[in-house]
């Protein structure tokens, strides 16, 4: 059997005192949720760890299931797929309610390889997001898949608004979590503490910010499971070295005109997601949020 390196990116992250507060950092014991939740500027940390035990290193084969559904944002799925498919001894299965082709929110056609009803327990469940997430928040088969996986103590990795699906499954209560910036204020309605970070690791649950942050989160998962050198080799393989030509990737960087245009295109989704979040807060018994 191949011997995997023992070092981990999470063990050598720099302390970012300006963003995290004096003496706080992702290394060691972790970050207090209070100081993390207050971070919302250009010093936002790339990764925040809670004080819970991190996922255990895997020395053997790894099975990853990526959950897809109509109306997902395909990069939430395909970005991490690029990473997970390159982890040594890893198999990635694409799971859905049916084996019919699935159309993403912008029209890309994806093909599932496995039915939810036939999917066994596996090492990593990857939950994508996208506008289609709103239509399946009460789907018992999809919610049940997430709940079974959590109950078995397996690693769950959500990208973007996949965090809201995990919230609907009740697994965000008492956790730190992040999601797409436009839905970031909603995770508290599912019982989570919202954290401004690219990736958040809370025990066996890893969440990322919007869309492209899934690449960062998947590389971090690869590091947690196999060590830094594997994650670094994958990063080189896919030449993931972003140097953006434009600087409007976060609301802190974007102009007000750009943000206004985003919400114009976002349409009714903002209100729909807010109403849904209030519904789930009542269902989950989350009371420490403002009334609608």
């Amino acid at each position: 059997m191949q011997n995997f390196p023992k070092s981990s990116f999470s063990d050598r992250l720099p302390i970012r005192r300006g963003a995290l507060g004096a003496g706080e950092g992702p290394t060691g014991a972790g970050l207090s949720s209070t100081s993390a939740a207050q971070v919302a500027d250009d010093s936002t940390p790339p990764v925040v760890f809670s004080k819970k035990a991190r996922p255990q290193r895997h020395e053997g084969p790894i099975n990853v299931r990526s959950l897809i559904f109509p109306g997902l944002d395909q990069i939430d799925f395909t970005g991490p797929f690029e990473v997970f498919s390159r982890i040594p001894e890893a198999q990635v299965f694409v799971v859905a309610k049916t084996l019919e082709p699935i159309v993403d929110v912008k029209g890309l056609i994806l093909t599932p390889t496995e039915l939810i009803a036939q999917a066994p327990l596996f090492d990593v469940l990857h939950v994508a997001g996208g506008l289609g997430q709103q239509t399946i928040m009460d789907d018992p088969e999809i919610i049940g898949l997430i709940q079974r996986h959590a109950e078995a103590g397996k690693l769950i990795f959500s990208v973007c608004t996949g965090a809201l699906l995990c919230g609907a499954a009740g697994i965000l209560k008492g956790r730190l979590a992040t999601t797409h910036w436009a839905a970031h204020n909603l995770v508290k309605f599912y019982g989570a503490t919202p954290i401004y970070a690219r990736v958040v690791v809370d025990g066996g649950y890893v969440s990322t910010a919007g869309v492209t942050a899934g690449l960062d989160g998947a590389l971090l998962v690869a590091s947690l499971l196999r060590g830094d050198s594997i994650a670094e080799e994958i990063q080189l393989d896919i030449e993931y070295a972003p140097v953006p030509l434009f600087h409007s990737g976060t609301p802190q960087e974007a102009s007000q005109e750009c943000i206004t245009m985003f919400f114009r295109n976002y349409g009714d989704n903002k209100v729909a997601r807010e109403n849904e979040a209030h519904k789930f807060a009542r269902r989950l018994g989350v009371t420490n949020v403002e009334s609608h």
Side-chain angles (χ1 to χ4, degrees):
M1 181 180 295
Q2 184 175 354
N3 292 320
F4 298 104
K6 299 299 183 184
S7 66
S8 173
F9 166 80
S10 60
D11 295 327
R12 57 180 175 81
L13 278 170
I15 295 178
R16 302 165 63 95
R17 298 182 189 276
L20 307 184
E24 296 285 2
T27 57
L31 170 69
S32 71
S33 60
T34 301
S35 59
Q38 293 170 347
V39 174
D41 56 27
D42 58 6
S43 62
T44 296
V47 185
V48 166
F49 292 85
S50 77
K51 296 181 181 180
K52 298 186 181 75
R54 299 171 190 174
Q56 295 294 309
R57 189 69 53 84
H58 278 251
E59 302 293 343
I62 295 174
N63 289 318
V64 179
R65 258 67 176 186
S66 293
L67 172 67
I68 65 173
F69 49 85
L72 83 160
D73 198 321
Q74 59 86 13
I75 299 181
D76 291 8
F77 157 61
T78 56
F81 181 90
E82 286 290 327
V83 174
F84 293 144
S85 64
R86 288 169 167 79
I87 297 176
E89 295 188 60
Q91 283 187 296
V92 185
F93 300 87
V94 185
V95 63
K97 285 174 65 69
T98 76
L99 297 182
E100 295 297 318
I102 284 177
V103 182
D104 104 307
V105 69
K106 296 298 184 183
L108 186 68
I109 298 174
L110 306 168
T111 305
T113 59
E114 189 174 52
L115 293 170
I116 291 175
Q118 298 174 346
L121 286 175
F122 32 88
D123 300 306
V124 179
L125 173 62
H126 165 207
V127 183
L131 295 179
Q133 150 266 317
Q134 293 172 247
T135 68
I136 55 174
M137 293 284 280
D138 285 303
D139 187 298
E141 192 172 16
I142 288 174
I143 298 306
L145 174 71
I146 299 171
Q147 289 172 335
R148 288 195 304 275
H149 199 70
E151 289 167 0
K154 302 295 186 177
L155 194 154
I156 297 179
F157 171 60
S158 71
V159 179
C160 195
T161 56
L164 303 185
L165 276 173
C166 292
I171 71 166
L172 294 195
K173 296 183 75 173
R175 292 190 181 274
L176 311 184
T178 191
T179 187
H180 189 281
W181 67 268
H184 196 268
N185 66 312
L186 301 182
V187 297
K188 64 179 179 289
F189 290 93
Y190 299 91
T193 298
I195 302 296
Y196 286 99
R198 189 80 170 160
V199 184
V200 174
V201 182
D202 189 286
Y205 175 57
V206 179
S207 58
T208 80
V211 195
T212 58
L215 275 166
D216 300 284
L219 285 167
L220 181 56
V221 169
S223 171
L224 291 169
L225 297 179
R226 288 292 197 241
D228 280 0
S229 64
I230 294 299
E232 289 168 348
E233 181 182 353
I234 294 170
Q235 182 180 8
L236 178 61
D237 188 7
I238 64 177
E239 199 171 350
Y240 179 53
V243 182
L245 299 180
F246 303 96
H247 297 280
S248 58
T250 68
Q252 290 77 36
E253 296 177 301
S255 67
Q256 185 57 54
E257 180 183 7
C258 184
I259 294 171
T260 299
M261 184 181 301
F262 168 84
F263 279 113
R264 186 182 303 126
N265 294 329
Y266 201 35
D268 296 332
N269 294 295
K270 182 177 185 295
V271 173
R273 278 188 166 142
E274 289 173 350
N275 290 336
E276 188 173 59
H278 283 275
K279 178 187 76 173
F280 274 96
R282 292 190 294 271
R283 181 181 300 180
L284 296 168
V286 177
T287 58
N288 58 337
V289 288
E290 68 270 17
S291 60
H292 188 51

